[in-house]
Amino acid sequence: MRLIFFGPPGAGKGTQAKKVAEKLGIEHISTGDILREAVNKGNDLGKKVQVIIEKGELVPDEIMNELVKMKIKELNSFILDGYPRTLEQAKSLDKILKELNKPIDAVVLIDVSEEEVVKRISSRRVCPNCGRVYNLITLKPKNDEICDNCGTKIIQRKDDREDIVRERYKIYQKTTHPVIEFYRKNNTIITIDGSKDVEEVTKELFNMLGRFSQNDNN
Ligand code: AP5
């Protein structure tokens, strides 16, 4: 199965994509995670994108398109999380997938309001070592601010400050959300209310995906 997870910052794309990818045994490609890893390593890509990410702006399309192309060439099934984010990226992905004869099965739109996003993201913490995501309100680590998985002190992402989050949300509304129209013509769009708690969203998501793949097999 090939899916795109779409939605504003903090909608829960990463949280839900990890669960679906694990259950279906498919690759989870998070462009945000790939970029942050490059920044942590301090490689050429990381040096180019660090300032852009920290300001909450979008990394140039040419960089993102090349990066995703390299990733999906070798894969048959995957979830794209955080890509495409512009019309140019959607067109580039469409071209690559046509060349590879790997059409997208569905686009999952997780919808959440700006105020909910700001609330969630300001309490998000991440492990700088293994990348596990926490939330100081809804998903606390067992020991105060220490990663359950690897014991490292969890931190706040630099782009998770309220002013930057609001800027990211503005960019999402202006540039990314309209991309959904590109998919409306030819793709199944599954819209999920992301404001419910994590388990409820997961349940609804699996229900919808199950119904969708049954119809697909008929
Ligand atoms: P990226 O990392 O993709 O950021 P994002 O899209 O803004 O998404 P987030 O990671 O903030 O949120 P999420 O929806 O995954 O939510 P999560 O599950 O973590 O990108 C970062 C930056 O990289 C961009 O700003 C840009 O600069 C650059 N970039 C990346 N891709 C790019 C592209 N294609 N083109 C150009 N630039 C690109 O959940 C958030 C929090 O809420 C967590 O604490 C979680 O525990 C909690 N939570 C999740 N679900 C729920 C729930 N249902 N109820 C309560 N709490 C919840």
Side-chain angles (χ1 to χ4, degrees):
M1 193 174 245
R2 289 178 287 274
L3 302 168
I4 293 175
F5 274 35
F6 204 86
K13 301 181 296 296
T15 302
Q16 300 297 336
K18 281 190 191 103
K19 289 173 188 276
V20 175
E22 198 182 336
K23 175 107 189 257
L24 302 181
I26 64 178
E27 193 90 8
H28 168 211
I29 304 171
S30 157
T31 45
D33 286 350
I34 296 171
L35 295 172
R36 278 184 291 277
E37 200 184 313
V39 170
N40 288 341
K41 283 187 182 152
N43 60 22
D44 285 351
L45 172 64
K47 284 181 195 145
K48 268 190 218 157
V49 301
Q50 181 167 16
V51 179
I52 303 175
I53 296 179
E54 287 175 5
K55 283 199 281 189
E57 292 169 0
L58 293 182
V59 171
D61 291 335
E62 315 81 74
I63 296 180
M64 298 313 301
N65 293 340
E66 196 50 35
L67 200 149
V68 170
K69 186 177 175 181
M70 299 301 287
K71 276 270 168 199
I72 59 179
K73 251 187 352 199
E74 312 297 333
L75 295 170
N76 196 36
S77 298
F78 49 79
I79 299 176
L80 282 170
D81 160 12
Y83 180 95
R85 260 171 149 103
T86 65
L87 191 57
E88 277 315 300
Q89 292 180 14
K91 287 181 183 166
S92 165
L93 177 66
D94 195 51
K95 185 164 172 271
I96 297 162
L97 293 176
K98 277 193 178 127
E99 281 165 14
L100 298 170
N101 195 22
K102 295 177 184 173
I104 289 295
D105 293 298
V107 179
V108 176
L109 168 62
I110 307 182
D111 220 4
V112 175
S113 70
E114 180 174 357
E115 286 321 305
E116 179 66 22
V117 158
V118 170
K119 196 173 97 192
R120 278 184 194 177
I121 294 193
S122 53
S123 49
R124 171 167 59 191
R125 297 292 181 274
V126 293
C127 175
N129 182 44
C130 72
R132 189 179 278 198
V133 177
Y134 296 91
N135 191 288
L136 297 182
I137 300 167
T138 54
L139 192 64
K140 289 185 193 169
K142 290 190 192 91
N143 296 314
D144 199 29
E145 311 232 344
I146 299 294
C147 176
D148 296 343
N149 190 39
C150 68
T152 306
K153 187 171 177 2
I154 57 175
I155 55 162
Q156 184 171 38
R157 271 170 48 177
K158 285 198 174 136
D159 59 345
D160 278 357
R161 260 183 24 213
E162 181 173 339
D163 56 333
I164 311 264
V165 175
R166 291 201 187 270
E167 178 63 21
R168 285 161 59 199
Y169 191 85
K170 213 187 285 167
I171 293 174
Y172 169 78
Q173 287 295 356
K174 186 164 176 255
T175 310
T176 306
H177 189 260
V179 175
I180 203 75
E181 294 311 320
F182 178 87
Y183 289 104
R184 236 180 256 289
K185 275 181 256 153
N186 300 315
N187 289 87
T188 302
I189 314 251
I190 296 175
T191 305
I192 302 276
D193 175 3
S195 66
K196 297 178 183 162
D197 69 32
V198 173
E199 286 69 30
E200 277 181 83
V201 176
T202 308
K203 201 170 150 203
E204 192 179 335
L205 187 49
F206 278 121
N207 275 342
M208 301 281 262
L209 286 174
R211 235 180 290 158
F212 160 72
S213 54
Q214 262 172 16
N215 290 340
D216 209 38
N217 291 334
N218 289 336

